[in-house]
């Protein structure tokens, strides 16, 4: 289904990310410059009271960005105008994240349609870890 044909309340195609691996966290640290040991070293994580390494919240936020872009991938002129993301809970090494969402708003303009999406990433236990609201603009014609 094309996002331009969506209706309010319609659910979006989910995006499942494979389990978060230590190697992935190392790549994220190198790309972002975030070398916080609780994200990279199990011993350091345990020393501050965590039962293991946690993934940086930015990783689940990035997954939601991928999810929104997946929704508009078949609309070459569509663009994400705004995305507000909120970190809601822990993401642990080994978690499988599923990004889901629905259409919550639609406004028809003279030359384009603004579509509001509510989306979230949840772990394999069904606990939301990150939430977002995005506004996508799709030109007409």
């Amino acid at each position: 289904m094309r996002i331009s044909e969506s209706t309010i309340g319609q659910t979006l195609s989910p995006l499942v990310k494979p389990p978060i691996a230590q190697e992935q966290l190392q790549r994220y640290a190198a790309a972002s410059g975030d070398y916080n040991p609780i994200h990279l070293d199990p011993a350091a994580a345990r020393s501050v009271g965590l039962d293991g390494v946690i993934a940086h919240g930015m990783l689940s936020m990035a997954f939601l960005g991928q999810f929104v872009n997946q929704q508009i991938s078949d609309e070459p002129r569509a663009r994400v105008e705004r995305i507000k993301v909120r970190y809601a809970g822990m993401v642990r090494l080994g978690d499988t994240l599923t990004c889901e969402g629905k259409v919550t708003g639609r406004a028809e303009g003279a030359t384009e349609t603004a579509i509001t999406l509510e989306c979230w990433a949840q772990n394999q236990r069904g606990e939301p870890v990150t939430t977002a609201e995005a506004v996508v603009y799709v030109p007409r014609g």
Side-chain angles (χ1 to χ4, degrees), residues 5-27:
E5 299 164 356
S6 64
T7 58
I8 294 175
Q10 187 165 358
T11 59
L12 304 170
S13 300
L15 173 65
V16 179
K17 300 301 284 183
I20 297 170
Q22 185 71 41
E23 169 189 316
Q24 187 177 26
L25 296 179
Q26 295 286 353
R27 284 194 317 268

Side-chain angles (χ1 to χ4, degrees), residues 67-129:
F67 173 74
V68 170
N69 279 310
Q70 170 188 285
Q71 305 308 314
I72 65 172
S73 63
D74 61 350
E75 304 268 7
R77 295 175 38 224
R79 70 186 189 285
V80 178
E81 186 70 23
R82 180 181 77 232
I83 185 166
K84 294 181 186 176
V85 184
R86 290 183 178 78
Y87 182 65
M90 291 285 210
V91 179
R92 299 187 181 283
L93 190 63
D95 277 358
T96 298
L97 296 182
T98 302
C99 299
E100 298 183 3
K102 63 183 176 181
V103 176
T104 57
R106 185 178 179 89
E108 304 290 337
T111 60
E112 58 191 6
T113 302
I115 301 166
T116 304
L117 309 176
E118 177 184 311
C119 47
W120 57 92
Q122 62 188 29
N123 61 24
Q124 65 273 11
R125 294 173 298 282
E127 302 163 337
V129 294

